[in-house]
Amino acid sequence: MRPAKQTSPSLARTFLFPVFFSRGDWEFVHGLGTDDIQRLFKRERKNVALVWVRQISAMIKKAMREHAGVARQSKNLEFSTEIRIFAQFLTLMAVCGILSIAIQTAGPLSLAGLAHFVQRLSLRIVKVQGSFQPAPLVKSAGHA
């Protein structure tokens, strides 16, 4: 999945599907047969996955704050669109919370599907937020 053109390089990297949810590296480490390496791998993979979830959550919160600022200046808000964006935001934040708990209990290796859902929904919200522009504020006649 390709990030939106207006995203920054760090934002684009965050939205690339993270390899720490894939099983390939785990199969290699597991094949080594060393318990210490396997424990270290699982612990580090879990920590990196949790950092990714926190980054996604922070970026979505920032996008929603920016959107709210733009929406406050808009003269022509569409209530249904705003409700839909807010519902997606709430869904994403709930799923990020669930994903974080699941990573802490089960580790990231079995959660690729849920992580992929978070990634797709996050990118969609950021793209929608980026498409909104504040309406120009019109000065009334006689006021400078």
Side-chain angles (χ1 to χ4, degrees):
M1 178 174 289
R2 214 167 268 185
K5 289 181 181 178
Q6 70 267 19
T7 57
S8 69
S10 64
L11 182 62
R13 279 192 301 275
T14 301
F15 282 114
L16 292 175
F17 190 70
V19 296
F20 43 83
F21 287 103
S22 69
R23 297 194 66 79
D25 291 343
W26 167 246
E27 290 169 4
F28 172 77
V29 170
H30 185 68
L32 296 175
T34 308
D35 290 342
D36 290 340
I37 292 175
Q38 290 176 18
R39 275 192 298 277
L40 177 62
F41 178 85
K42 285 181 179 180
R43 185 178 66 232
E44 292 304 316
R45 200 48 80 98
K46 182 184 291 189
N47 289 336
V48 170
L50 290 169
V51 167
W52 179 79
V53 172
R54 284 192 295 271
Q55 285 180 334
I56 291 291
S57 296
M59 279 191 278
I60 295 307
K61 288 175 185 174
K62 181 181 181 222
M64 287 305 293
R65 278 192 307 273
E66 290 172 358
H67 174 76
V70 169
R72 279 192 287 278
Q73 297 175 14
S74 179
K75 300 284 187 199
N76 54 353
L77 286 181
E78 290 186 28
F79 184 73
S80 62
T81 301
E82 295 303 315
I83 292 297
R84 191 170 53 251
I85 291 169
F86 186 65
Q88 286 181 342
F89 170 74
L90 291 178
T91 300
L92 181 60
M93 297 313 319
V95 171
C96 281
I98 291 167
L99 183 58
S100 182
I101 291 168
I103 289 168
Q104 292 174 22
T105 57
L109 297 176
S110 58
L111 301 169
L114 186 57
H116 192 64
F117 173 75
V118 167
Q119 177 203 28
R120 284 191 338 263
L121 186 57
S122 300
L123 188 55
R124 186 167 45 184
I125 288 175
V126 169
K127 282 182 179 179
V128 167
Q129 184 276 333
S131 69
F132 284 97
Q133 298 297 321
L137 297 176
V138 179
K139 294 181 181 180
S140 60
H143 293 90

